[in-house]
Amino acid sequence: MLSCFKATELMEMKEHVPLGLIKTMQLHMHTVMCSGCRNYKKQTKLIDELLRRNFKTAPVVADTDELETGIISKFQ
Amino acid sequence: MIVNNSDIISLVKAYTKDLFSYAITKVHQKEIAEDLVQDTFLSAYQAYENYKGKSNVKTWLFSILKHKIADYYRSKYKQNIEVGSDFIDTFFDDNHRWKPEYRPKDWGNENELLDDPEFSQSLMECFKKLPVKWSSAVQMKYLEEHDADGICSQLEITKSNFWQIIHRAKLQLRNCLELKWFKR
């Protein structure tokens, strides 16, 4: 039986490498029985999606005139 | 080494905006993007003699900037902070099961939360509280959209180290959100 720590770690690992049959089944069994990890699973997906959205929208490009003047002054 | 300052100044005038626009999408913080662009021109100034027309000038400046961005993430990542086992002990008991007070609760409708700007803002506030080493790994994962291999080689870590860090960061973020948003 997997621990909750290990189960949540496997959920993350799964994003990066194939888990293999045994680990996949262990994770499935654990998640079926553990409500905490079931909630975690939904929440980690939500967090993934929100972070992806947040980092995708680049901050508004500010006026770069001041930066330009600042850099030029270093060369004068 | 004789460098004509007016040469470099004309480059600054021509490319500051492009370089900055690129840098801001990669680091997401205005001050840091500005520093990186400035450093790019300082390096370009020093290397100008060697460069002199070997490639397209814009390509050359961008390649310097990309190196600066990679260096920035690497140095940020290297600023210490071990992934301590005591951190695990905060959330899990001796058998590595959730401690009752940290066991994830039902958050209700995830789709509603997904489109709630205030919830998203809470998440970013939680993100800012992460240890620097973790936040740089997380940021790279979602920013760059490149694979784990690329991130690991840039940060000079192993793959297993990478998802362990993401895992711990997620635990922290999740808990921070639950405290902020659902107030125990």
Side-chain angles (χ1 to χ4, degrees), chain B residues 44-112:
Chain B
Y45 178 71
Q46 282 159 3
Y48 200 61
E49 277 297 295
N50 291 332
Y51 155 70
K52 279 259 163 115
K54 275 180 201 153
S55 62
N56 177 300
V57 69
K58 191 174 176 182
T59 313
W60 178 59
L61 288 171
F62 269 90
S63 77
I64 299 173
L65 176 62
K66 283 174 187 169
H67 275 108
K68 300 274 172 207
I69 292 169
D71 286 348
Y72 160 74
Y73 275 111
R74 215 172 2 248
S75 69
K76 197 175 158 200
Y77 187 81
K78 284 214 168 124
Q79 287 165 19
N80 66 52
I81 302 170
E82 279 303 301
V83 180
S85 61
D86 51 333
F87 174 75
I88 299 167
D89 296 340
T90 332
F91 296 111
F92 301 98
D93 65 18
D94 291 344
N95 296 318
H96 282 179
R97 283 168 210 229
W98 295 108
K99 283 184 183 169
E101 66 271 35
Y102 287 103
R103 173 174 284 269
K105 295 178 175 59
D106 188 352
W107 284 4
N109 188 340
E110 268 85 12
N111 286 332
E112 272 171 27

Side-chain angles (χ1 to χ4, degrees), chain A residues 3-5 8-9 12-13 16 36-37 39-40 43-44 48-51 53-55 57 74-75, chain B residues 5 20 28 38 45 92 96 98 103-107 114-115 120 123 142 162-163 166-167 170 174:
Chain A
S3 67
C4 298
F5 173 72
T8 53
E9 193 179 73
E12 201 55 55
M13 198 174 150
H16 305 281
C37 287
N39 287 334
Y40 182 92
Q43 291 158 10
T44 190
D48 270 339
E49 180 56 28
L50 282 173
L51 287 174
R53 285 187 189 182
N54 262 297
F55 285 126
T57 42
K74 307 251 175 209
F75 295 107
Chain B
N5 280 15
F20 179 81
H28 269 241
Q38 178 167 313
Y45 178 71
F92 301 98
H96 282 179
W98 295 108
R103 173 174 284 269
K105 295 178 175 59
D106 188 352
W107 284 4
L114 196 57
D115 293 321
S120 175
L123 174 64
Y142 296 101
F162 174 65
W163 70 67
I166 302 284
H167 176 218
K170 284 264 189 71
R174 202 211 65 79

